[in-house]
């Protein structure tokens, strides 16, 4: 199975839709994806993601299935931390805090790379609950395609059976934040590292391969990241993320 991940086009965050330029980007993305044999299209239920997906769906004659867990992530001081008088700096903005965490505490990328949820920047942040929601949603979604999470990889429960859907290519349209959780979870990378080191732009195309290799074990492989070549003739926004 191949999973194509697309971030939504240039957003009008206030109205949760695309700007005029974002619509041009979404149309260009639909042209880019025309060469892919997409069997199903999924989207966050938010307007800017659905609108981006709509052009690809229309061109390929497919319907869009909503995945509520891919809704853009929320952030800020968690209710538990607030009740105890603690507050997360920078309003809990995860990209800013990820950069601060890794520059102030380089050990979080070395021997303690899996301890980031314990740092106050994230432990006291609503983002942590959002991370778990997306990660659990991704695993449940992939289980529907016969991929069951086991540790840091997946087990192909339909391996070798007639009628497998593993030749399928599916497309998922979502956001910078929920997408970052998807990348971190599939690739077993610390979320602060993904937020800091793997930014991707509007209407960028990234591709995961999820194939069983010589056994039922499936290790997700990132085959393409942040492809924006199809936007060469369309003005691009300055990279930023918001709710």
């Amino acid at each position: 199975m191949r999973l194509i991940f697309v971030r939504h086009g240039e957003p009008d965050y206030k109205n949760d839709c695309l700007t005029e330029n974002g619509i041009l980007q979404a149309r260009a993305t639909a042209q880019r994806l025309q060469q892919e044999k997409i069997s199903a299209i999924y989207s966050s239920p938010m307007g800017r993601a659905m609108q981006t997906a709509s052009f690809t769906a229309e061109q390929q004659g497919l319907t869009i299935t909503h995945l509520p867990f891919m809704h853009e992530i929320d952030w800020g001081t968690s209710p538990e931390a607030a009740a105890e008088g603690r507050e997360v700096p920078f309003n809990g903005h995860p990209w800013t805090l990820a950069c601060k965490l890794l520059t102030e505490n380089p050990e979080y990328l070395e021997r303690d790379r899996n301890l980031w949820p314990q740092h106050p920047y994230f432990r006291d942040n609503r983002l942590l609950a959002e991370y778990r929601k997306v990660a659990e949603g991704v695993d449940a979604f992939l289980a529907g395609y016969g991929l069951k999470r086991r540790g840091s990889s997946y087990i192909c429960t339909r391996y070798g059976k007639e009628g497998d859907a593993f030749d399928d290519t599916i497309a998922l349209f979502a956001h910078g934040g929920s997408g970052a959780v998807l990348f971190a979870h599939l690739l077993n990378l610390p979320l602060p590292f993904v937020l800091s080191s793997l930014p991707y732009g509007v209407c960028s195309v990234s591709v995961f391969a999820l194939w069983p290799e010589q056994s039922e074990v499936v290790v997700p492989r990132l085959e393409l990241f942040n492809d924006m070549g199809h936007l060469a003739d369309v003005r691009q926004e300055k990279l930023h993320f918001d709710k």
Side-chain angles (χ1 to χ4, degrees), residues 172-215:
L172 170 57
F173 294 76
H175 308 270
S178 57
V181 177
L182 172 80
F183 277 79
H185 188 59
L186 289 183
L187 300 176
N188 296 291
L189 294 171
L191 180 62
F193 173 79
V194 173
L195 294 172
S196 297
S197 300
L198 296 174
Y200 45 90
V202 292
C203 276
S204 62
V205 174
S206 299
V207 180
F208 288 94
L210 298 133
W211 308 106
E213 299 286 351
Q214 301 180 353
S215 73

Side-chain angles (χ1 to χ4, degrees), residues 44-234:
S44 153
M46 298 188 76
R48 53 191 183 269
M50 291 191 297
Q51 190 176 7
T52 304
S54 68
F55 296 97
T56 298
E58 180 180 5
Q59 188 173 80
Q60 303 209 15
L62 297 171
T63 58
I64 301 172
T65 300
H66 296 164
L67 297 180
F69 65 86
M70 287 303 296
H71 188 287
E72 183 56 297
I73 57 176
D74 191 17
W75 59 78
T77 303
S78 68
E80 296 79 9
E84 296 180 8
R86 301 193 304 274
E87 184 175 346
V88 182
F90 298 100
N91 196 33
H93 189 265
W95 289 269
T96 301
L97 294 179
C99 183
K100 283 181 62 63
L101 174 68
L102 299 182
T103 54
E104 295 170 354
N105 307 273
E107 65 271 18
Y108 278 77
L109 273 179
E110 298 168 3
R111 64 182 182 277
D112 295 331
R113 55 184 298 231
N114 295 318
L115 294 181
W116 65 268
Q118 300 179 26
H119 192 281
Y121 288 166
F122 294 97
R123 182 192 66 210
D124 293 340
N125 200 320
R126 290 198 299 270
L127 169 71
L128 191 57
E130 297 283 301
Y131 177 92
R132 293 170 180 149
K133 178 186 70 176
V134 175
E136 291 171 0
V138 167
D139 287 344
F141 172 70
L142 291 179
Y145 277 91
L147 297 171
K148 183 178 180 180
R149 184 85 176 190
R150 187 184 71 176
S152 59
S153 61
Y154 292 85
I155 297 298
C156 180
T157 60
R158 298 175 186 169
Y159 183 69
K161 295 182 180 180
E162 185 177 356
D164 286 348
F166 285 103
D167 287 336
D168 284 354
T169 294
I170 62 177
L172 170 57
F173 294 76
H175 308 270
S178 57
V181 177
L182 172 80
F183 277 79
H185 188 59
L186 289 183
L187 300 176
N188 296 291
L189 294 171
L191 180 62
F193 173 79
V194 173
L195 294 172
S196 297
S197 300
L198 296 174
Y200 45 90
V202 292
C203 276
S204 62
V205 174
S206 299
V207 180
F208 288 94
L210 298 133
W211 308 106
E213 299 286 351
Q214 301 180 353
S215 73
E216 73 277 8
V217 178
V218 176
V219 179
R221 182 173 67 246
L222 184 60
E223 291 192 331
L224 182 68
F225 177 70
N226 195 36
D227 176 19
M228 299 180 71
H230 52 289
L231 303 180
D233 297 327
V234 185

